[in-house]
Amino acid sequence: MSSAQMPIILLRDGTENRQGKGQVINNINACVSVSDYVRTTLGPRGMDKLVVDRKDKTTISNDGATIMNMLDIVYPAAKIMTDIAKNQDNDVGDGTTSVVILAAEFLKQAKQFVEDGVSPQLVISAYYHASEEAIRKLDELATKIPEHGLRDMLIKCAATTLSSKLVAQDRQYFAELVVDAVNNVDDDLPVSMIGVKKISGGSVTESHLVKGVAFKKAFSYAGFEMQPKHYKDVSIALLNIELELKAEKDNGELRVNNVSDFEEIVNAEWNILYNKLEKIHASGVKIVLSKLPIGDVATQWFADRDMFCAGRIPEADLKRTQMSCGGQILTTVSKIESTALGKCDEFYEKQLGNERFNYFIGGAKAQSCTIILRGGAEQFIAESERALHDAIMVVRRAKKNDTVLAGGGAIEMELSHHIREKAKNITTKEQFFWKAYGKAFEIIPQQLCINAGIDAVDILNQLRNRHLKGEKHAGVDIFRECVRDNLEGCIWEPAAVKRNAINAATEAACVVLSVDQTITNQPKKNEMPGLPSKH
């Protein structure tokens, strides 16, 4: 009797295991489907998406990274698309939609080879080599920004970014606002030093830049209205100290035998507070800001001495005030050195919409600024803030790298043409993969035309013809609905944005192609997902 072989069970019952060529194709299809969610948001005439989350909060946006973050994607391989959109947003701020569309198109072009039985590793190898050639060509096409025209160049880069946003009609106004904000802050400082305050009401063109710090009037106690609301050339104390009477019965227990002992305890509590206030006043400061509460006793005490105070200031605003006015955030007032105090050229309080705002205009070395953003609907202001964030990141990146490229699909068409020409010199079957990689770049100008309602076939034929003749900067002008030299037309993008997009899209495509098996572990019965099992 022959002994039958017993099956070897490796994975727990219920584990999903999908593998082979079919799995690679499924992953490609999933990634292409994800890109369809953001495809129509590309370009100056891209549409917006209205996303409603689980708490019924509505977000209207055409920012690729924002939309990708809000999509609750469950398909494992497709989550890579969200990661590259985040990476693009964190690194350069713009081009988040482009990178997702480009990665999906690289995969779409590779799909035909996988279906024909070609090993994905051959496609991956060819894609990496082709991307290196594309980056080399991109660097060759990049135009350096001249020092004397730096501000104008940066404004044009910001305007190109804002042309596809909700504030596109006022892009010139906001481009100048963004460039002034970035120039006001040191290049090495974090982007958080440019604060954005959103205030409902008023026209969007009432938005303005404060070369210092502005924040909403903090919670204040009685006596606040008696304080002066305007100073010039004064010292500021930034504190992380509570200036409030504490009920000691909550912190400990005391047994007293007579009234005088009780009176002594109460007086000691008051004396501790008054000593702190006296030391702050003796230092010569006129403005006192604290991260912790400043009580009604302290508020009135300061008001009697013509001093301004505000407690419960958010940490981010306090940090920006420090960067704008100098000084240190103090944790004790036992000995206040003059070097630890900030200097403010001007302080005033102003009504904006329904809120009152405190303005601190820093000195010549101010390293922080605030953009006051006005507008109608809350969703509009939120989307305007996202648009300004993209523009700020682009301008900062352009300042550091100081090279720009023609936008409007011009660089993509030139890279497509260049890669295909290079492919003709390859004698192996890798030539087909290079041609597919080059063809994928055409998706950007094609999608720009589709979103604008222009005949994409006609425009693409014109673009191919112009690039064949050696017109390297020929791209789509969406507003004129024609093909033109976009470098002359001032449709510019920083080279860093495109370089990062090509690298990220190629890597994402190669990662998806290299996955041929997906194993999904199912939780045991009576075991909640994500919780350790009980043994």
Side-chain angles (χ1 to χ4, degrees):
M1 183 179 171
S2 63
S3 60
Q5 282 189 325
M6 293 292 289
I8 300 170
I9 299 169
L10 285 177
L11 301 172
R12 184 191 296 167
D13 188 29
T15 300
E16 287 183 34
N17 181 13
R18 301 184 298 274
Q19 59 185 317
K21 185 171 82 174
Q23 184 56 33
V24 179
I25 291 165
N26 282 347
N27 289 344
I28 291 171
N29 290 340
C31 292
V32 171
S33 298
V34 169
S35 78
D36 290 340
Y37 285 103
V38 294
R39 196 177 289 276
T40 54
T41 67
L42 187 71
R45 293 193 182 160
M47 304 297 281
D48 292 347
K49 304 291 180 191
L50 192 153
V51 186
V52 185
D53 66 12
R54 290 175 184 178
K55 294 178 182 176
D56 282 343
K57 184 190 171 189
T58 57
T59 303
I60 299 171
S61 180
N62 71 353
D63 180 53
T66 304
I67 297 164
M68 295 296 287
N69 271 331
M70 296 193 78
L71 294 178
D72 201 358
I73 296 168
V74 293
Y75 195 90
K79 289 181 181 177
I80 292 168
M81 305 302 264
T82 307
D83 292 340
I84 58 168
K86 275 185 193 171
N87 163 54
Q88 183 77 4
D89 195 40
N90 294 337
D91 276 11
V92 287
D94 195 27
T96 49
T97 304
S98 303
V99 75
V100 173
I101 294 172
L102 208 51
E105 193 62 22
F106 287 151
L107 288 168
K108 211 175 189 179
Q109 293 296 327
K111 184 181 171 183
Q112 57 187 322
F113 303 120
V114 177
E115 285 175 336
D116 291 344
V118 175
S119 167
Q121 289 301 331
L122 293 174
V123 181
I124 290 167
S125 174
Y127 270 18
Y128 273 127
H129 291 145
S131 73
E132 285 169 8
E133 183 58 35
I135 296 297
R136 192 195 62 75
K137 183 65 177 174
L138 186 140
D139 291 337
E140 189 184 298
L141 292 166
T143 306
K144 194 166 176 63
I145 302 173
E147 283 293 323
H148 59 85
L150 182 64
R151 188 173 186 276
D152 290 341
M153 296 275 195
L154 293 175
I155 287 170
K156 283 161 187 168
C157 283
T160 303
T161 299
L162 293 169
S163 67
S164 63
K165 307 296 181 187
L166 212 56
V167 292
Q169 285 179 309
D170 302 298
R171 62 182 178 277
Q172 194 62 32
Y173 178 80
F174 280 106
E176 290 182 24
L177 196 74
V178 164
V179 171
D180 288 340
V182 172
N183 286 339
N184 203 64
V185 175
D186 196 292
D187 291 350
D188 297 324
L189 289 171
V191 75
S192 60
M193 286 301 116
I194 302 172
V196 179
K197 297 294 175 187
K198 297 173 285 187
I199 305 165
S200 295
S203 163
V204 74
T205 51
E206 286 177 34
S207 303
H208 59 277
L209 177 69
V210 179
K211 291 187 176 177
V213 179
F215 51 78
K216 197 161 65 174
K217 181 179 83 70
F219 174 84
S220 48
Y221 288 94
F224 179 82
E225 293 302 332
M226 295 157 58
Q227 295 177 344
K229 301 296 188 300
H230 190 258
Y231 293 107
K232 283 197 173 182
D233 196 22
V234 288
S235 298
I236 302 179
L238 305 171
L239 309 176
N240 190 9
I241 304 167
E242 197 168 356
L243 298 175
E244 195 172 22
L245 284 168
K246 298 290 287 180
E248 293 303 332
K249 66 181 181 185
D250 295 337
N251 300 331
E253 190 175 315
L254 282 171
R255 192 178 291 255
V256 291
N257 297 321
N258 52 54
V259 176
S260 59
D261 286 353
F262 178 73
E263 194 177 342
E264 202 175 314
I265 292 163
V266 172
N267 288 340
E269 205 176 346
W270 284 82
N271 288 336
I272 289 167
L273 177 62
Y274 282 132
N275 282 339
K276 286 180 182 176
L277 300 180
E278 288 286 359
K279 282 172 182 171
I280 293 168
H281 181 245
S283 68
V285 298
K286 283 289 182 185
I287 300 172
V288 181
L289 303 177
S290 180
K291 184 182 165 187
L292 297 173
I294 295 178
D296 49 359
V297 174
T299 303
Q300 290 180 22
W301 195 92
F302 284 134
D304 291 342
R305 286 152 185 81
D306 285 338
M307 292 169 69
F308 173 88
C309 72
R312 298 181 186 174
I313 305 289
E315 190 174 2
D317 289 332
L318 205 62
K319 283 272 185 196
R320 274 205 303 276
T321 308
Q322 184 187 9
M323 294 306 291
S324 185
C325 303
Q328 297 167 12
I329 296 174
L330 305 169
T331 53
T332 177
V333 292
S334 58
K335 190 180 180 184
I336 301 176
E337 302 281 350
S338 59
T339 52
L341 301 174
K343 297 283 183 211
C344 177
D345 283 0
E346 189 177 8
F347 161 77
Y348 56 91
E349 193 168 293
K350 185 179 177 182
Q351 187 80 20
L352 285 177
N354 294 329
E355 304 287 353
R356 281 161 72 182
F357 269 69
N358 294 328
Y359 284 70
F360 298 84
I361 310 302
K365 293 182 179 178
Q367 294 185 311
S368 175
C369 60
T370 308
I371 294 172
I372 304 291
L373 202 55
R374 305 299 302 273
E378 189 182 321
Q379 285 94 340
F380 176 85
I381 302 176
E383 178 61 3
S384 300
E385 184 188 17
R386 285 189 284 272
L388 287 190
H389 172 265
D390 284 9
I392 286 167
M393 292 292 283
V394 160
V395 171
R396 277 169 69 94
R397 188 64 59 175
K399 264 186 85 176
K400 282 187 177 179
N401 292 289
D402 69 3
T403 53
V404 292
L405 297 160
I411 183 66
E412 283 83 5
M413 284 306 295
E414 181 57 27
L415 291 177
S416 177
H417 170 69
H418 177 72
I419 295 292
R420 286 171 173 186
E421 287 299 309
K422 278 281 180 184
K424 290 176 183 176
N425 302 324
I426 300 170
T427 53
T428 61
K429 59 185 172 186
E430 198 173 294
Q431 179 189 123
F432 299 110
F433 312 144
W434 275 63
K435 283 183 176 176
Y437 185 85
K439 188 175 187 301
F441 282 109
E442 289 188 353
I443 191 64
I444 300 295
Q446 184 186 341
Q447 196 63 48
L448 284 170
C449 294
I450 292 167
N451 292 351
I454 309 170
D455 185 349
V457 176
D458 180 43
I459 293 288
L460 273 177
N461 283 334
Q462 286 186 49
L463 282 170
R464 286 189 197 113
N465 186 33
R466 298 275 283 268
H467 283 271
L468 197 63
K469 290 177 182 175
E471 295 182 34
K472 296 178 179 179
H473 307 301
V476 191
D477 187 332
I478 297 298
F479 301 106
R480 295 188 186 182
E481 299 190 359
C482 66
V483 172
R484 66 177 293 191
D485 187 321
N486 278 348
L487 202 64
E488 276 183 19
C490 300
I491 301 169
W492 296 342
E493 295 181 71
V497 172
K498 288 296 173 198
R499 192 182 298 112
N500 202 78
I502 292 167
N503 281 330
T506 306
E507 282 179 17
C510 291
V511 166
V512 173
L513 286 171
S514 67
V515 175
D516 76 331
Q517 186 170 2
T518 305
I519 302 162
T520 311
N521 289 327
Q522 297 294 333
K524 283 182 185 176
K525 288 178 182 177
N526 306 322
E527 182 186 319
M528 289 294 287
L531 292 177
S533 55
K534 295 176 183 176
H535 287 298

